[in-house]
C-alpha cells in the first residue's frame, strides 16, 4: 500500500499527500507535463525561468527572494525534466517544518501564497510577459544550453543520446533548441503559457508533517483556478530494431577521451522483462562490483569510471567511460565483451547476488529523502506502473538468471560516440 | 581497552542528540540516532589530507616529506585488502562504500539498510588493515592518472585550483588534492605504509554513525574491534607547513579551455588566521553571513549584475576557514570576466559605510532554516560533524554561534576579509575551438 493519499481537485489537478514526521521540512512539488517536441521544447523550458523572476504581488526577483528568505530560507526551485518523450516543468517549495522555529505557524500558508502567485499571477505587460524578463531569461537559457559542453562527462552522454535518437522526439535536448529562442516574443510565450497552464496534465505533491484534511482544503483553496480539458500525453517510442551500429566521433580540446555507447533495450517499464532488465544493467555496470567497473577499471586499469545506466522511460541504456584516446580499441573491446557475456549468461552467483541486494538497498533508501519519495511516485505515474517499495523488492527477488539473459538478448548496440582530442 | 569518557550533545532547536565516547587509545566515536530512517550511514575519518605532506611524530622518526597526492592515493589503496577488493564485500551485503579526500581529511564511509553490524565491522577492519603491494600500487597509478585527467577537463575545478595557486605562495593548499600525473609516479608501497602508520592511528581519527541505531551497541562493537589490535600510544603528529606570507602570489591567472562562456573566480585571502574551536567556527559563520549580505540573491550587487547580464543564477560565494589558512571566493559564468571582476571589486567598496540591520537579520534567519533543512540528510550530518570535530568544534554550536554574532562582528569581518590588496582572480576563457 502506498503512503500517498490521492485526490483530484475540481479543475483536474491530481493531488498526492504524504503525511510523515520523519523530515525537518515540508515539500510541495508541482509537475506540469508536456509532450517532448522539438518545436515546443525551448518554449516550455523558458517558462519557469521567466515565472521565477517575479509575480504580481512580488514583481521583482529581489522582492520574491526577500519574502522567501524571511520564511527561514524557504526555497522555490524550478526544474525542467525529460522523462521518456515527455518534458516536465517542476516547481518546488521547501519550507522548514514550523515546529522547529518558534511562533511561525503560518509559514506554509505564506510559502504557498508565493508559489501560487508565481504560477498563476505572472508580471504582465500589454499582452505578454514582462519583456525585459523574457529577454534576459532567453539569454540565460541560451547560455545554459551552450554550457552543456563545459561538463565533458555529461556532454558526451547527452551527445550520444542526441545522435542515437536524432530522428525521434527523444533526441530533443531537455531545454530545447537554440534557434527557437531567437525570435520568441513575450506575447507569444505568454499565450502559450496560458494555454499550457489551462490544459496540461498536472500533479501536486505535499510531503511532510501535515494534516491530510487541512492540507486538502488548503490546496483546494489555493489551486482553485478553473482549467479546461487536458491535452493527451503521447506514448514514448521504445521498441526499435537496429540494423547496423553507427560510429560518431567529435573532436575537442580535451585531455581525456569519452567513450559512450548507446543501446536499445527494447524493454518498456510496463513489460514483464523490466525488472530483469534492471538486474541486467546492475550486473553489467551500475555498481563498483559490476562487470564494467571490474574489467575496464580494476583489471585493465584503463579508466577511472566505467558504468552503465538505464534511461528507463525511453528504454535505452548508456555505457560511459573516460579513457586515454589511444586506448579506444582496447576499451571498446572490453566493454563489448562484457555486454556479450550478459547475453550468453556468463553471470557468477556473486555478481547476481550483489546486484540483487544492491538494488534492494537503493530502493529502500529512497524512503529517506522527500525528493526521492516524490520522484518514485512520479515515475509510477509516467510509466503507468505504480508500485510500493515492497512490490518492487518482491519483483527484484523473483528475477532469475534466465530472465536476465532474456532481457540482455533484446539489447542492441545503436551508437558509438567518441569524444576525443584534436591531434 | 576501555571507554575513557562517555557523554552526549544535544540541541533544542534541531531536537536531535548525539552520543559521544572516547575510546582508548584516543578514538572518538559518535552515534547519532535517526528514528524511522532505513539507511544507516557510517564514516571513519582521519585527519590526513592533501596538505599534510611534511610531518613528524613527536619522540619518533625523522621529518618525512612525501609526494603530492599521497593521502588520496592511500584512500584508493586501502580498499584493496589481502583477500581482494573491499567494495565487493560491501556489495555482497547490499551496502555501498565510498571514500573521499580533501585538503585536511580522508573519510571512508558506507551506507546500508540491512546487515549494519557486518558492514560496520567491514569498515572498521579494512581501514585498520592496510595491504599494499608493489604490483597493486603500480596498477592504481593508471586509474588515478585518469581521475586527474578527468579533472583537468573540468573547467570549474581548474578555475578553483588556479585561483588557490595565485592566492598562496607556498602553502600546499595551492596544489591539486590528487597530486599530478608526475607526482603520483613517485609513490610506492613504502611511503604509503609510512603515512599510514602516522595518520591512521586511532588518536588521529574519528568515527561517526547515523541511523536508526542503539548507541550502546554501536560503541560496544567498536570497543570489541579495537581490543584485539593492541595499539600503542602515538606521540603528537606535527605537521609542518611552510611560512605563508600575507601577500598573494599573483593578481590574476588565465587559462583557455573548451567552455561555452568564460568563468571567473575572485578570491580574497584571509589574513586573520590561527584560530581553532569556537572562534574559528564563529569566524566562518560571520564570513558566510557577510557574503550573503554582499552577494546573495537579495543583494543590490547580485540584482544589478544579473540585470546587466554579467552573471547568471549560478553565481555563488563560499568561505573556507582552516586553522592556518582561509579564503573567500565569489564568481561564476560570465560573458565578460574582466568587467565582472571590476564590478565585483567596486561593489565591495560601496559597503564600507555599513550594512542594514534588516539584511543581517534576514540572512541569519535564512541560514538557520537552511541548517535545519540539512538535517534531513544523514550524509550531511556525518560529514559535517566530523569536519567540525576535527576543528575542535561541535556542529550543534552553529545555532548558538549564529545567535551570538552581531552586526559589529560583520563589520569587523568585512574589514579583515575584503582588503583589495589581498585578492587574486582566476579566469577561464573559451579557446574558441
Amino acid at each position: 500500500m502506498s503512503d500517498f493519499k490521492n485526490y483530484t481537485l475540481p479543475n483536474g489537478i491530481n493531488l498526492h499527500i504524504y503525511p510523515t514526521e520523519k523530515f525537518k521540512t515540508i515539500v510541495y512539488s508541482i509537475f506540469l507535463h508536456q509532450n517532448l517536441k522539438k518545436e515546443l521544447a525551448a518554449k516550455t523550458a523558458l517558462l519557469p525561468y521567466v515565472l521565477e523572476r517575479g509575480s504580481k504581488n512580488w514583481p521583482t526577483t529581489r522582492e520574491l527572494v526577500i519574502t522567501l528568505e524571511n520564511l527561514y530560507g524557504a526555497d522555490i526551485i524550478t526544474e525542467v525534466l525529460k522523462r521518456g518523450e515527455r518534458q516536465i516543468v517542476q516547481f518546488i517549495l521547501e519550507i522548514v517544518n514550523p515546529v522547529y522555529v518558534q511562533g511561525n505557524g503560518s509559514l506554509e500558508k505564506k510559502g504557498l501564497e508565493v508559489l501560487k502567485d508565481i504560477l498563476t499571477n505572472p508580471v504582465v505587460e500589454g499582452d505578454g510577459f514582462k519583456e525585459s524578463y523574457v529577454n534576459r531569461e532567453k539569454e540565460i537559457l541560451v547560455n545554459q544550453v551552450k554550457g552543456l559542453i563545459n561538463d565533458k562527462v555529461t556532454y558526451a552522454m547527452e551527445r550520444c543520446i542526441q545522435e542515437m535518437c536524432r530522428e525521434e522526439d527523444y533526441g530533443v535536448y531537455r531545454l530545447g533548441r537554440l534557434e527557437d529562442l531567437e525570435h520568441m516574443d513575450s506575447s507569444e510565450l505568454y499565450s502559450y503559457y496560458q494555454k499550457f497552464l489551462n490544459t496540461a496534465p498536472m500533479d501536486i505533491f505535499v510531503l511532510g508533517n501535515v494534516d491530510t484534511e487541512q492540507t486538502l482544503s488548503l490546496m483546494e483553496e489555493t489551486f482553485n483556478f478553473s482549467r479546461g480539458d487536458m491535452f493527451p500525453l503521447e506514448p514514448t517510442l521504445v521498441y526499435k530494431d537496429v540494423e547496423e551500429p553507427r560510429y560518431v566521433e567529435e573532436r575537442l580540446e580535451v585531455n581525456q577521451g569519452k567513450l559512450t555507447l548507446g543501446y536499445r533495450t527494447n524493454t518498456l517499464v510496463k513489460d514483464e522483462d523490466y525488472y530483469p532488465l534492471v538486474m541486467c544493467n546492475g550486473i553489467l555496470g551500475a555498481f563498483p562490483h559490476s562487470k564494467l567497473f571490474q574489467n575496464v577499471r580494476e583489471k585493465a586499469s584503463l579508466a577511472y569510471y566505467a558504468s552503465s545506466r538505464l534511461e528507463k522511460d525511453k528504454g535505452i541504456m548508456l555505457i560511459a567511460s573516460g579513457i586515454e584516446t589511444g586506448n579506444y580499441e582496447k576499451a571498446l573491446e572490453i566493454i563489448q565483451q562484457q555486454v556479450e557475456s550478459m547475453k550468453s549468461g556468463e553471470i557468477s552467483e556473486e555478481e547476481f547476488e550483489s546486484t540483487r541486494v544492491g538494488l534492494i538497498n537503493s530502493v529502500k533508501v529512497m524512503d529517506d529523502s522527500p525528493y526521492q519519495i516524490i520522484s518514485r511516485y512520479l515515475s509510477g505515474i509516467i510509466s503507468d506502473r505504480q508500485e510500493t517499495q515492497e512490490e518492487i523488492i518482491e519483483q527484484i527477488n523473483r528475477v532469475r538468471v534466465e530472465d536476465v539473459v532474456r532481457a540482455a538478448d533484446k539489447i542492441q548496440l545503436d551508437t558509438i560516440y567518441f569524444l576525443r582530442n584534436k591531434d | 581497552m576501555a571507554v575513557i569518557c562517555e557523554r552526549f550533545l544535544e540541541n533544542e532547536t534541531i531536537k536531535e542528540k548525539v552520543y559521544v565516547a572516547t575510546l582508548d587509545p584516543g578514538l572518538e566515536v559518535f552515534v547519532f540516532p535517526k528514528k524511522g530512517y532505513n539507511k544507516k550511514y557510517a564514516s571513519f575519518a582521519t585527519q590526513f589530507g592533501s596538505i599534510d605532506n611534511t610531518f613528524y611524530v613527536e619522540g619518533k622518526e625523522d621529518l618525512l616529506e612525501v609526494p603530492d597526492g599521497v593521502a588520496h592515493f592511500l584512500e584508493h589503496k586501502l580498499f584493496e585488502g589481502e583477500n581482494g577488493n573491499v567494495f565487493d564485500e560491501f556489495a555482497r551485503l547490499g551496502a555501498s562504500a565510498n571514500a573521499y579526500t580533501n585538503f585536511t581529511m580522508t573519510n571512508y564511509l558506507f551506507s546500508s539498510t540491512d546487515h549494519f553490524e557486518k558492514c560496520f565491522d567491514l569498515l572498521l577492519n579494512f581501514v585498520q588493515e592496510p595491504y599494499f603491494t608493489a604490483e597493486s600500487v603500480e596498477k592504481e597509478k593508471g586509474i588515478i592518472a585518469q581521475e586527474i585527467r578527468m579533472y583537468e577537463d573540468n573547467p570549474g575545478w581548474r578555475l578553483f585550483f588556479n585561483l588557490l595557486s595565485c592566492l598562496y605562495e607556498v602553502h600546499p593548499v595551492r596544489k591539486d588534492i590528487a597530486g599530478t600525473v608526475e607526482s603520483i609516479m613517485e609513490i610506492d608501497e613504502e611511503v604509503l605504509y609510512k603515512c599510514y602508520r602516522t595518520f591512521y592511528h586511532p588518536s588521529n581519527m574519528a568515527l561517526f554513525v547515523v541511523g536508526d541505531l542503539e548507541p550502546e551497541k554501536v560503541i560496544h562493537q567498536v570497543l570489541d574491534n579495537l581490543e584485539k589490535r593492541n595499539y600503542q600510544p602515538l606521540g603528537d603528529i606535527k605537521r609542518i607547513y611552510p611560512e605563508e606570507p600575507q601577500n598573494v602570489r599573483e593578481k590574476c591567472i588565465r587559462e583557455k579551455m573548451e567552455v561555452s562562456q568564460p568563468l571567473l573566480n575572485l578570491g580574497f585571502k584571509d589574513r586573520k588566521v590561527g584560530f581553532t574551536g569556537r572562534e574559528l567556527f564563529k569566524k566562518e559563520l560571520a564570513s558566510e553571513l557577510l557574503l550573503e549580505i554582499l552577494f546573495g540573491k537579495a543583494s543590490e550587487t547580485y540584482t544589478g549584475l544579473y540585470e546587466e547580464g554579467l552573471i547568471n543564477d549560478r553565481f555563488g560565494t563560499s568561505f573556507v576557514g582552516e586553522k592556518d589558512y582561509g579564503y573567500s571566493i565569489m564568481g561564476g559564468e560570465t560573458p565578460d570576466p574582466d568587467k565582472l571582476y571590476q564590478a565585483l571589486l567596486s561593489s565591495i567598496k560601496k559597503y564600507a559605510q555599513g550594512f542594514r540591520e534588516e539584511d543581517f537579520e534576514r540572512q541569519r534567519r535564512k541560514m538557520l532554516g537552511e541548517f535545519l533543512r540539512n538535517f534531513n540528510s544523514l550524509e550531511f550530518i556525518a560529514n559535517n560533524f566530523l569536519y567540525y570535530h576535527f576543528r575542535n568544534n561541535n556542529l550543534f554550536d552553529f545555532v548558538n554561534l549564529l545567535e551570538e554574532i552581531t552586526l559589529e562582528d560583520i563589520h569587523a569581518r568585512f574589514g579583515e576579509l575584503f582588503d583589495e590588496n589581498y585578492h587574486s582572480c582566476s579566469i577561464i576563457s573559451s579557446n574558441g575551438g
Side-chain angles (χ1 to χ4, degrees):
Chain A
M1 215 198 69
S2 157
D3 294 315
F4 278 103
K5 301 199 167 58
N6 304 302
Y7 307 89
T8 305
L9 299 181
N11 58 8
I13 296 174
N14 297 311
L15 176 65
H16 316 279
I17 304 174
Y18 187 111
T20 170
E21 288 174 23
K22 192 163 158 179
F23 304 111
K24 303 271 185 222
T25 55
I26 304 174
V27 177
Y28 299 85
S29 192
I30 300 177
F31 297 93
L32 289 142
H33 305 250
Q34 177 60 288
N35 292 304
L36 182 65
K37 297 282 175 203
K38 56 175 182 286
E39 59 285 356
L40 284 182
K43 219 189 262 187
T44 312
L46 184 57
L47 292 172
Y49 288 76
V50 174
L51 294 169
E52 248 196 301
R53 288 302 302 278
S55 62
K56 280 226 175 79
N57 292 311
W58 296 277
T60 65
T61 313
R62 191 150 178 265
E63 286 164 282
L64 257 179
V65 171
I66 287 175
T67 306
L68 292 169
E69 284 182 348
N70 273 323
L71 302 176
Y72 288 89
D75 224 348
I76 291 185
I77 304 169
T78 61
E79 295 272 3
V80 180
L81 317 169
K82 174 169 139 181
R83 295 283 187 87
E85 279 157 4
R86 204 185 271 203
Q87 194 183 16
I88 301 172
V89 182
Q90 182 182 17
F91 295 83
I92 304 161
L93 165 70
E94 185 172 11
I95 56 166
V96 172
N97 183 343
V99 305
Y100 295 102
V101 282
Q102 295 146 347
N104 283 285
S106 58
L107 275 183
E108 297 158 76
K109 230 181 145 146
K110 281 188 198 148
L112 270 177
E113 255 173 56
V114 181
L115 182 64
K116 184 198 176 177
D117 216 47
I118 286 177
L119 198 70
T120 63
N121 221 358
V123 186
V124 174
E125 272 175 4
D127 57 356
F129 284 120
K130 182 169 169 154
E131 204 171 333
S132 64
Y133 285 178
V134 173
N135 289 338
R136 181 70 188 108
E137 295 308 311
K138 257 159 63 172
E139 250 175 60
I140 297 265
L141 185 57
V142 165
N143 284 326
Q144 203 177 333
V145 174
K146 287 185 181 162
L148 181 63
I149 200 169
N150 299 349
D151 176 0
K152 304 296 177 294
V153 177
T154 319
Y155 176 76
M157 280 200 264
E158 182 60 32
R159 286 286 299 121
C160 182
I161 291 173
Q162 286 173 2
E163 288 294 336
M164 181 172 170
C165 304
R166 65 199 180 285
E167 283 157 7
E168 296 151 59
D169 290 328
Y170 199 72
V172 178
Y173 183 47
R174 179 175 72 87
L175 301 174
R177 297 182 304 189
L178 289 176
E179 61 260 42
D180 296 319
L181 289 170
E182 279 163 28
H183 26 74
M184 192 186 306
D185 66 49
S186 52
S187 60
E188 182 198 342
L189 189 67
Y190 183 54
S191 64
Y192 173 67
Y193 181 59
Q194 285 177 306
K195 205 172 131 206
F196 182 53
L197 185 65
N198 197 34
T199 56
M202 193 166 161
D203 290 281
I204 301 182
F205 290 80
V206 183
L207 187 150
N209 192 4
V210 295
D211 176 85
T212 308
E213 289 308 311
Q214 274 175 21
T215 303
L216 179 58
S217 55
L218 181 62
M219 299 307 278
E220 273 172 345
E221 190 188 309
T222 308
F223 296 96
N224 59 355
F225 52 92
S226 64
R227 302 200 325 140
D229 289 339
M230 277 178 281
F231 59 76
L233 290 164
E234 295 165 20
T236 297
L237 182 137
V238 168
Y239 306 110
K240 190 161 188 272
D241 217 18
V242 188
E243 276 168 25
E244 185 67 39
R246 201 166 145 250
Y247 175 77
V248 181
E249 184 181 286
E250 188 171 339
R251 294 185 179 225
L252 291 173
E253 296 284 352
V254 289
N255 290 297
Q256 186 178 61
K258 306 275 188 255
L259 176 57
T260 311
L261 282 73
Y263 293 82
R264 304 276 175 181
T265 69
N266 287 303
T267 296
L268 193 66
V269 178
K270 275 193 94 171
D271 289 350
E272 209 180 310
D273 280 344
Y274 175 64
Y275 286 103
L277 175 67
V278 171
M279 279 292 289
C280 172
N281 176 60
I283 297 164
L284 178 64
F287 299 96
H289 70 259
S290 303
K291 287 179 184 291
L292 290 173
F293 192 91
Q294 288 298 320
N295 289 287
V296 181
R297 172 173 152 144
E298 295 298 304
K299 291 211 181 91
S301 219
L302 291 178
Y304 172 65
Y305 70 93
S307 64
S308 69
R309 73 159 211 240
L310 285 178
E311 297 285 326
K312 61 177 183 172
D313 294 305
K314 176 60 182 169
I316 62 178
M317 183 178 79
L318 294 175
I319 292 178
S321 185
I323 55 168
E324 287 293 331
T325 303
N327 286 332
Y328 171 80
E329 296 291 341
K330 229 194 285 179
L332 182 64
E333 192 192 330
I334 297 174
I335 289 171
Q336 289 190 295
Q337 274 167 6
Q338 306 318 308
V339 179
E340 280 314 306
S341 71
M342 294 301 303
K343 292 180 190 252
S344 58
E346 291 163 50
I347 298 165
S348 72
E349 202 188 318
E350 177 160 357
E351 286 172 328
F352 191 88
E353 267 307 293
S354 295
T355 302
R356 185 182 68 82
V357 291
L359 287 172
I360 290 172
N361 186 62
S362 62
V363 172
K364 284 186 180 170
V365 298
M366 290 181 101
D367 282 355
D368 294 338
S369 150
Y371 290 103
Q372 289 202 46
I373 294 170
I374 291 172
S375 172
R376 180 162 79 204
Y377 201 80
L378 178 78
S379 286
I381 293 172
I382 294 168
S383 59
D384 191 24
R385 184 171 185 163
Q386 196 60 265
E387 290 160 336
T388 61
Q389 188 210 87
E390 293 76 21
E391 286 163 347
I392 295 171
I393 292 172
E394 196 199 314
Q395 292 180 88
I396 293 170
N397 280 332
R398 240 188 280 149
V399 177
R400 298 288 167 261
V401 174
E402 55 267 30
D403 305 319
V404 175
V405 173
R406 195 176 59 239
D409 215 35
K410 291 192 280 182
I411 295 175
Q412 294 176 298
L413 177 61
D414 185 297
T415 301
I416 299 170
Y417 168 86
F418 189 44
L419 172 67
R420 53 161 295 182
N421 59 353
K422 282 185 167 167
D423 312 311
Chain B
M1 286 294 147
V3 178
I4 297 171
C5 149
E6 246 179 317
R7 61 202 186 278
F8 66 83
L9 308 164
E10 66 183 326
N11 186 285
E12 281 172 23
T13 307
I14 312 164
K15 298 183 172 58
E16 302 278 9
K17 199 174 188 175
V18 57
Y19 294 78
V20 196
T22 310
L23 309 185
D24 190 40
L27 179 70
E28 294 271 286
V29 185
F30 298 81
V31 187
F32 191 115
K34 203 68 166 136
K35 284 263 171 288
Y37 273 67
N38 295 335
K39 189 196 290 184
K40 285 111 187 148
Y41 182 91
S43 56
F44 198 177
T46 163
Q47 301 179 72
F48 180 35
S50 64
I51 63 169
D52 303 312
N53 57 16
T54 310
F55 53 86
Y56 68 93
V57 177
E58 246 179 9
K60 254 183 139 186
E61 298 153 51
D62 299 334
L63 186 74
L64 204 63
E65 215 173 312
V66 298
D68 292 333
V70 166
H72 173 257
F73 204 107
L74 211 167
E75 171 219 309
H76 271 240
K77 281 331 295 169
L78 216 47
F79 279 97
E80 208 159 285
E82 202 168 347
N83 309 311
N85 199 314
V86 184
F87 279 122
D88 300 345
E89 292 181 56
F90 279 106
R92 271 177 229 132
L93 299 166
S96 59
N98 213 334
Y100 63 84
T101 306
N102 59 29
F103 291 123
T104 55
M105 72 192 241
T106 313
N107 192 6
Y108 299 85
L109 50 98
F110 76 84
S111 78
S112 73
T113 50
D114 300 314
H115 313 295
F116 171 77
E117 280 168 39
K118 279 188 195 165
C119 294
F120 192 44
D121 251 338
L122 208 50
L123 175 74
L124 295 173
N125 292 340
F126 95 81
V127 174
Q128 294 182 92
E129 290 162 14
Y131 179 73
F132 312 132
T133 65
E135 189 196 4
S136 75
V137 167
E138 276 316 302
K139 192 209 73 182
E140 205 64 26
K141 289 177 180 173
I143 296 170
I144 295 176
Q146 285 311 312
E147 187 178 1
I148 293 169
R149 291 267 181 257
M150 182 177 81
Y151 282 110
E152 279 173 359
D153 284 337
N154 183 319
W157 188 261
R158 296 296 316 146
L159 182 74
F160 174 64
F161 275 98
N162 285 351
L163 178 71
L164 291 185
S165 75
C166 277
L167 283 175
Y168 292 90
E169 186 77 46
V170 283
H171 195 283
V173 69
R174 62 193 305 278
K175 295 185 209 169
D176 200 319
I177 289 161
T180 62
V181 173
E182 293 72 36
S183 76
I184 61 166
M185 294 305 158
E186 295 168 34
I187 295 170
D188 57 22
E189 70 276 21
E190 198 187 328
V191 79
L192 292 179
Y193 274 118
K194 277 185 182 159
C195 291
Y196 183 87
R197 281 185 216 113
T198 304
F199 292 105
Y200 285 71
H201 187 271
S203 58
N204 189 49
M205 301 182 75
L207 257 170
F208 198 99
V209 183
V210 50
D212 201 340
L213 292 158
E214 285 171 46
E216 298 75 23
K217 266 176 87 174
V218 176
I219 290 166
H220 212 267
Q221 198 182 339
V222 184
L223 262 180
D224 283 349
N225 190 291
L226 287 183
E227 208 152 36
K228 58 190 180 200
R229 296 184 189 272
N230 195 30
Y231 279 109
Q232 300 305 311
L234 186 78
D236 271 356
I237 301 170
K238 298 288 177 193
R239 296 162 172 86
I240 311 297
Y241 304 115
E243 180 94 15
E244 174 66 31
Q246 290 203 337
N247 286 324
V248 301
R249 183 189 182 106
E250 269 176 277
K251 269 269 122 71
C252 195
I253 184 168
R254 291 165 193 268
E255 187 178 335
K256 286 189 186 306
M257 286 180 81
E258 288 276 3
V259 289
S260 60
Q261 213 183 179
L263 296 151
L264 169 89
N265 261 359
L266 172 61
F268 284 86
K269 188 168 176 176
D270 195 351
R271 289 156 300 130
K272 206 170 176 205
V273 292
F275 303 111
T276 57
R278 274 176 73 88
E279 265 184 302
L280 178 62
F281 203 172
K282 194 169 170 181
K283 183 181 94 164
E284 181 185 318
L285 294 184
S287 307
E288 282 173 3
L289 272 168
L290 175 62
L291 284 166
E292 276 306 310
I293 295 170
L294 292 180
F295 301 109
K297 284 200 167 146
S299 68
E300 274 144 35
T301 302
Y302 179 93
T303 319
L305 295 173
Y306 190 96
E307 275 311 319
E308 225 184 308
L310 278 176
I311 59 169
N312 59 28
D313 66 352
R314 281 183 279 185
F315 177 86
T317 60
S318 64
F319 176 79
V320 168
E322 298 288 345
K323 182 175 169 285
D324 297 301
Y325 63 90
Y327 53 82
S328 65
I329 298 182
M330 55 230 68
E333 297 165 0
T334 177
D336 192 341
D338 291 285
K339 200 169 168 192
L340 178 59
Y341 174 31
Q342 292 310 323
L344 287 171
L345 285 181
S346 60
S347 80
I348 292 167
K349 287 192 194 122
K350 281 188 217 148
Y351 284 91
Q353 304 97 339
F355 304 94
R356 278 194 297 262
E357 181 85 34
E358 58 168 290
D359 288 343
F360 168 64
E361 289 302 337
R362 195 180 65 249
Q363 291 310 332
R364 187 143 75 165
R365 205 172 233 246
K366 180 179 109 174
M367 266 176 80
L368 178 64
E370 283 172 353
F371 184 68
L372 275 162
R373 196 191 306 181
N374 284 329
F375 278 78
N376 278 349
S377 157
L378 305 190
E379 289 80 357
F380 171 88
I381 295 170
N383 298 343
N384 283 281
F385 250 103
L386 285 172
Y387 180 87
Y388 287 102
H389 166 66
F390 284 155
R391 270 150 208 77
N392 299 317
N393 280 138
N394 151 17
L395 183 65
F396 285 151
D397 278 346
F398 182 101
V399 180
N400 299 328
L401 286 169
L402 192 65
E403 198 55 45
E404 260 175 43
I405 292 171
T406 62
L407 200 53
E408 284 66 47
D409 293 327
I410 302 294
H411 276 296
R413 204 72 273 268
F414 178 79
E416 292 156 12
L417 195 55
F418 290 114
D419 186 326
E420 227 187 278
N421 295 316
Y422 303 97
H423 82 271
S424 297
C425 105
S426 166
I427 292 170
I428 301 276
S429 54
S430 171
N431 54 18

